[in-house]
Amino acid sequence: MKKKYNEKTAIDIIDKVGARPEMLVQILHAFIKKFSYIDEQAIRLIAKKINLSRAEIHGVVSFYHDFRTEPTGEKVIKICQAEACQSMGSRELTKYAEKILDVNMHQTSKDMKLTLEPVYCLGNCALSPAIMIDEKVYGKVNEEKLNDLVENL
Amino acid sequence: MNKKITKIFIPRETAAMSMGSDELAEKIALFSESKNISIEIVRNGSWGMSWLEPLIEVDTSDGRVAYGPVSIDDIESLFESNFLEGSDHALCQGKTQNIPYLKSQQRWTFRKCGLIDPTCIHSYIENDGYLGLKKSIANQKNIINQIDISGLRGRGGAGFPTGIKWKTVENAEADQKFIACNADEGDSGTFSDRILMESDPFALIEGMTIAGIAVGANRGYIYLRSEYPHAYNILLNAVETAKKHNWLGENIQDSEFDFNIDIHVGGGSYVCGEETAMLESLEGKAGTIRYKPPLPAIEGLFGKPTIVNNVVTLASVPDIMAFGGDAYAEHGVNRSKGTLAFQLSGNVKQGGLVELAFGVTLREIIDKWGGGTASGKPVYAVQVGGPLGAYFPESLLDTPLDYEAFSEKKGMVGHGGIVIFDDSVDMAAQARFAMEFCSIESCGKCTPCRIGSTRGMEVIDNITNNLDREKNLELLDDLCETMIDGSLCAMGGLTPFPVKSALKYFPEDFKINNEN
Ligand SMILES: Cc1cc2nc3c(=O)[nH]c(=O)nc-3n(C[C@H](O)[C@H](O)[C@H](O)COP(=O)(O)O)c2cc1C
Ligand code: SF4
Ligand code: FES
C-alpha cells in the first residue's frame, strides 16, 4: 500500500538505490512506488544526500511526467490516449470513464480512492483500447469491461 | 493408473495478460487438480499473435497444438473435448507452427518468442542461444565484420548502419566505454521491443554482451520505459540468471571478457527515447536533447564512447554471429537488409507482431496478416512509424516497406508500427493530436518545437472552426516549415509530417466543424 511520506523510509530508499547523482531518476521512481508522489521534504532530503541543489532536483522532478508532486488515490487508472487506441475509441472511453468515475483526467477523486491519468501507449496497441490499473494492463476495454473493472477495484 | 504429465503453455506476456492469461493459468491449474489430471503449466512468452491471446498450447506427441483466444469459461469444454491430446475444439488453431499468420513469417530475431520459457536459461541455450556469444569470444576481431556483412541497420527508427556505429566506438580511445540499450519504445503502435524483452530476454542480454566484447566495453545499461513493469521483472530475473550461470559478470565462460548490465527505468517521457536525451536521463538528469556532434559513439554516457542501440537491433545480433552475417543479409531488399518486426494495431482484425523481410507492401501486410479492419469497413488511413510518421491514404498502400521507398513518399518505416484507421477517424483531430503530443513531450530546448506545437493546435482549431480559414491554412504550412527547419531533433522536426500528410491526403476532414 502507498504510505505517507516519512523521512526514515525515505533515507532507506535513497541508500538502497544508491546515493549518487546519476541515480536521481531511479531514486524518484522508488519514491513514487512507495509514496505515490514526491514530497517537498523528499526533494530537500535527496538534495542533501546526493549533493545537488534543490533547484536541480526540482528541475528533474518537473521534467518527467511520472514524478507527481501530489499524492494519488489508492488506485491509479491510466487510459491510453495514443493513436492505436484513438482508432478504437479511446477518446469516447475516456469521456465515459470521467463520467462514471466522476473525476477528470489528471485528477484524484475526493475520497482519495482513485486517480485518472493519461498515458501515451502501453505497448498493447494490438488489443486497443488499452488501460492500466496500477501495474496491470487491460486490453480491448469497452464501456462494459470498464464497468466490471471499476466494480472490482 | 498410468498418468502422463502433459505440458500446457500459457503465455505470461503483457498482451496475453491483458486478456486474462494469469487468471486463466490459475483456473486451469485448479481445474486439473480437482479432476486429478496431471499437467505441467509452462509460462512461455508470446508468439506475437495478440489477436488470439490468450493463446494456449498443449504439448502433444505430434508437436504443440494451439487454442485461442481462451477465456475462463472455455476451460471445462476444452478438457471435455480432450484438448490435452490435441483434439479438435471450436478454439483449436491447429499446430502452432502451421498457423498461417505465423508460418508465413520470416522469423529471425523473434524465432524463440513464444517457443521458450523466458525465465529459463536452459531452454534458451537448447534453442541455439549463446551460440553467437561463444563464437564472438572465440573470434572477437570478426564481430564487427559480421555485423557489417549482415547489413543490419538500427531498428529504433533512424535506420543507421549498426556496423559503422560499432566501428566508431571500437576506434575511440577511452578508459571506459558503454553499451546503452534503448528500450524506451515510446512510439505509439509499437510493441516489438516489449514482446522481445518479455519473451526472449536472454537474446537482448547476449546481443549487448557481444557488442561489449566487440568494442571493449564492460558495462551496459538498459533504459526501459516505466510503462513496462512486466518487462522490467522479466529482464531483472534474466540478468540475475545470466550472472549466476556466468554469462554475465567477470571472465564470462572463463574468457578474458567481463560484462555487466544495469537496468534503469525512464520517467514517462517520450523524448527520452531520443538517444542523447536518453543518455542525460541515464545520468539522472532531465531528458533534454544534446547538441550533436559530439556523437554518442565518441562522447556518450558520462562523456565516454557509447553504443546506443535499440532492443531489436541488439537482439538481432546473436543469430547474426551464430549463423553468419550472410544468412541475415539474404533477407530483404536494396539497402534494407534482413527482417523487421512489423506491428499491426488499431482498427485491424488480426493485430500482432509480424516479422518479415523488408519489401512487402503495406497493403499485403494489412490484408494478408491483418485480415482487414476490425470494423469491417475499408481502410481509410494508416500511420506507419509512430507518432512522428506520416498518415498514408488508401492510394499509397502499395508502397513497399523499405526505408528508402518510404522516405521517397515522405513516410517513415521507423520502428515498424502500423496503425490502421477506418473512416470514422477525423484526420483534423489526428493532425491536432500530433501537435498536442509534441507540445506535451517537447524537451523545451528550441522555440519552433516548444511554442510552434501549441500554436499549431490553435491554428488547426481555427481552420476547423472556419476562422480566417485561408490565412490559417497558410499559417499552418509556414509553421510546419519552421518546425522542420528550426528544430534540433526529430521531435519538432518530424511532427509536421503527420500534420502535413493529413492535410494533403484528407482535406475533406478539415472542412468546417459547425455541423458537429
Ligand atoms: C523523439 C525521438 C524518440 C525516439 N524514441 C526512440 C525509442 O523509443 N526507442 C529507440 O530505440 N529509438 C528511439 N529514437 C531513436 C534514437 O534516437 C536512436 O536513433 C536509436 O536508439 C539508435 O539505435 P538503433 O541504431 O539501434 O536504432 C527516438 C528518436 C527521437 C528523435
Ligand atoms: S525539437 Fe523539441 S524535443 Fe527536440 S531539442 Fe528541440 S525542443 Fe527539444
Ligand atoms: S497506442 Fe494505446 S497501447 Fe499503444
Side-chain angles (χ1 to χ4, degrees):
Chain A
M1 252 303 62
K2 287 153 192 162
K3 284 211 187 118
K4 226 183 121 41
Y5 177 79
N6 81 75
E7 182 117 340
K8 193 185 161 317
T9 313
I11 292 175
D12 288 347
I13 290 175
I14 299 173
D15 289 337
K16 187 158 174 254
V17 178
R20 303 186 303 277
E22 74 267 26
M23 298 310 285
L24 179 55
V25 174
Q26 307 311 305
I27 293 171
L28 293 171
H29 257 304
F31 274 57
I32 292 287
K33 215 167 183 166
K34 197 70 175 185
F35 309 118
S36 87
Y37 75 111
I38 308 295
D39 195 276
E40 192 55 42
Q41 293 177 62
I43 292 182
R44 215 173 294 238
L45 176 75
I46 297 168
K48 203 171 85 195
K49 292 273 289 178
I50 67 174
N51 248 332
L52 288 177
S53 72
R54 267 162 58 201
E56 282 170 303
I57 314 278
H58 264 294
V60 173
V61 170
S62 62
F63 181 86
Y64 294 99
H65 302 303
D66 283 351
F67 304 146
R68 321 172 193 92
T69 49
E70 296 291 331
T72 63
E74 278 164 41
K75 298 267 173 196
V76 178
I77 304 181
K78 295 183 180 178
I79 304 181
C80 177
Q81 306 292 313
E83 287 87 342
C85 289
Q86 289 171 346
S87 87
M88 292 302 279
S90 64
R91 289 185 179 97
E92 294 75 14
L93 183 72
T94 304
K95 279 194 201 123
Y96 181 74
E98 289 180 326
K99 195 179 85 191
I100 62 163
L101 302 171
D102 198 23
V103 285
N104 289 332
M105 271 291 166
H106 298 287
Q107 287 182 355
T108 298
S109 61
K110 283 196 195 73
D111 58 6
M112 292 301 281
K113 283 256 186 297
L114 53 94
T115 299
L116 197 58
E117 288 185 347
V119 65
Y120 297 92
C121 193
L122 292 162
N124 204 31
C125 334
L127 299 169
S128 51
I131 74 167
M132 191 180 207
I133 303 180
D134 291 340
E135 296 210 326
K136 195 164 161 43
V137 177
Y138 298 88
K140 289 197 176 183
V141 181
N142 51 22
E143 295 185 358
E144 195 189 328
K145 195 161 171 178
L146 188 70
N147 287 338
D148 285 349
L149 289 170
V150 169
E151 237 162 71
N152 294 315
L153 273 185
Chain B
M1 206 166 44
N2 172 24
K3 264 202 209 161
K4 196 176 111 248
I5 300 182
T6 310
K7 261 192 205 167
I8 303 183
F9 294 84
I10 307 176
R12 184 189 275 143
E13 172 267 349
T14 297
M17 286 152 73
S18 84
M19 299 306 283
S21 71
D22 281 348
E23 295 78 5
L24 189 66
E26 219 172 278
K27 288 275 164 25
I28 287 180
L30 284 175
F31 187 90
S32 56
E33 211 180 290
S34 73
K35 301 276 177 206
N36 223 353
I37 304 166
S38 296
I39 56 163
E40 180 197 343
I41 294 179
V42 178
R43 301 303 303 270
N44 58 336
S46 170
W47 294 98
M49 294 182 276
S50 309
W51 54 289
L52 287 175
E53 299 291 5
L55 179 74
I56 73 175
E57 296 165 86
V58 177
D59 198 16
T60 73
S61 53
D62 207 21
R64 280 157 74 161
V65 178
Y67 299 82
V70 180
S71 82
I72 287 173
D73 300 334
D74 302 314
I75 296 176
E76 206 167 332
S77 79
L78 280 169
F79 275 95
E80 263 165 21
S81 67
N82 211 9
F83 88 125
L84 291 180
E85 305 290 330
S87 357
D88 203 20
H89 182 274
L91 297 177
C92 185
Q93 304 291 334
K95 280 195 207 171
T96 313
Q97 292 301 339
N98 292 340
I99 298 175
Y101 197 89
L102 189 64
K103 195 176 180 184
S104 51
Q105 298 186 30
Q106 281 107 35
R107 286 273 170 133
W108 173 283
T109 309
F110 289 78
R111 71 180 171 86
K112 295 189 262 27
C113 293
L115 184 66
I116 64 172
D117 171 356
T119 64
C120 174
I121 197 166
H122 306 295
S123 66
Y124 179 71
I125 292 171
E126 270 162 30
N127 287 284
D128 292 330
Y130 282 123
L131 203 60
L133 179 51
K134 278 190 204 152
K135 288 194 181 174
S136 303
I137 289 173
N139 192 356
Q140 183 240 5
K141 289 279 164 253
N142 187 35
I143 301 174
I144 296 182
N145 186 28
Q146 288 303 321
I147 301 298
D148 266 339
I149 293 171
S150 76
L152 180 65
R153 291 167 68 177
R155 299 294 186 239
F160 188 82
T162 307
I164 296 179
K165 190 181 279 186
W166 289 22
K167 217 171 286 169
T168 312
V169 177
E170 187 198 21
N171 292 335
E173 294 277 346
D175 53 350
Q176 174 76 59
K177 297 177 186 178
F178 294 104
I179 309 299
C181 168
N182 191 341
D184 199 48
E185 195 159 67
D187 286 354
S188 46
T190 70
F191 43 86
S192 59
D193 295 350
R194 181 184 61 64
I195 287 188
L196 192 286
M197 292 184 285
E198 293 179 349
S199 307
D200 192 12
F202 294 106
L204 172 58
I205 292 172
E206 184 182 353
M208 289 177 71
T209 311
I210 294 171
I213 292 175
V215 302
N218 63 5
R219 289 193 62 186
Y221 286 91
I222 298 171
Y223 184 82
L224 180 70
R225 71 198 301 250
S226 61
E227 293 83 352
Y228 286 180
H230 180 60
Y232 179 79
N233 291 333
I234 295 282
L235 282 173
L236 199 63
N237 173 76
V239 167
E240 289 307 315
T241 307
K243 260 190 225 162
K244 214 176 290 165
H245 291 83
N246 193 224
W247 288 105
L248 281 177
E250 318 307 308
N251 301 109
I252 292 172
Q253 303 297 305
D254 298 323
S255 71
E256 76 223 67
F257 301 107
D258 307 336
F259 196 70
N260 281 298
I261 293 177
D262 284 307
I263 306 167
H264 275 218
V265 177
S269 151
Y270 176 72
V271 84
C272 283
E274 195 281 339
E275 56 186 2
T276 64
M278 181 189 88
L279 294 172
E280 289 290 301
S281 188
L282 272 174
E283 293 180 9
K285 301 173 192 158
T288 32
I289 305 286
R290 294 178 184 172
Y291 289 98
K292 284 190 270 194
L295 291 171
I298 308 285
E299 279 180 42
L301 191 59
F302 304 113
K304 305 292 183 187
T306 304
I307 288 183
V308 180
N309 272 140
N310 170 257
V311 172
V312 176
T313 313
L314 288 162
S316 303
V317 166
D319 279 2
I320 289 174
M321 291 312 299
F323 309 119
D326 293 335
Y328 189 75
E330 268 170 30
H331 300 293
V333 291
N334 309 323
R335 296 204 290 123
S336 300
K337 293 290 185 221
T339 59
L340 186 64
F342 298 101
Q343 301 128 81
L344 282 172
S345 74
N347 196 332
V348 62
K349 212 173 270 161
Q350 303 178 160
L353 180 141
V354 183
E355 183 175 1
L356 291 175
F358 285 95
V360 58
T361 68
L362 204 46
R363 190 186 305 280
E364 257 179 289
I365 214 169
I366 293 171
D367 289 349
K368 193 167 159 195
W369 281 272
T373 61
S375 61
K377 289 183 172 179
V379 173
Y380 182 72
V382 182
Q383 188 178 33
V384 183
L388 307 177
Y391 284 100
F392 277 12
E394 205 276 337
S395 61
L396 286 181
L397 292 188
D398 292 313
T399 313
L401 285 148
D402 134 6
Y403 291 116
E404 278 68 38
F406 253 64
S407 44
E408 240 168 67
K409 303 264 159 63
K410 292 201 180 329
M412 178 168 74
V413 173
H415 190 46
I418 299 173
V419 181
I420 297 155
F421 297 80
D422 73 9
D423 67 1
S424 61
V425 68
D426 170 2
M427 294 306 294
Q430 295 311 116
R432 187 187 190 281
F433 175 74
M435 288 293 192
E436 183 187 356
F437 186 67
C438 182
S439 75
I440 296 170
E441 298 298 337
S442 166
C443 88
K445 199 157 183 161
C446 26
T447 319
C449 169
R450 189 184 66 235
I451 311 282
S453 51
T454 307
R455 194 78 188 95
M457 284 155 63
E458 294 162 8
V459 172
I460 293 171
D461 284 342
N462 288 344
I463 293 168
T464 49
N465 290 326
N466 205 24
L467 293 170
D468 260 340
R469 196 179 152 80
E470 287 313 311
K471 200 178 123 227
N472 275 297
L473 278 167
E474 240 171 76
L475 210 62
L476 184 60
D477 211 45
D478 283 351
L479 194 63
C480 284
E481 291 312 312
T482 310
M483 287 174 76
I484 292 171
D485 296 336
S487 297
L488 181 57
C489 86
M491 177 85 239
L494 294 182
T495 291
F497 286 81
V499 176
K500 285 173 71 107
S501 58
L503 257 174
K504 176 170 175 191
Y505 299 119
F506 309 93
E508 60 281 15
D509 285 23
F510 287 78
K511 288 210 184 102
I512 304 148
N513 226 346
N514 43 15
E515 303 105 286
N516 38 16

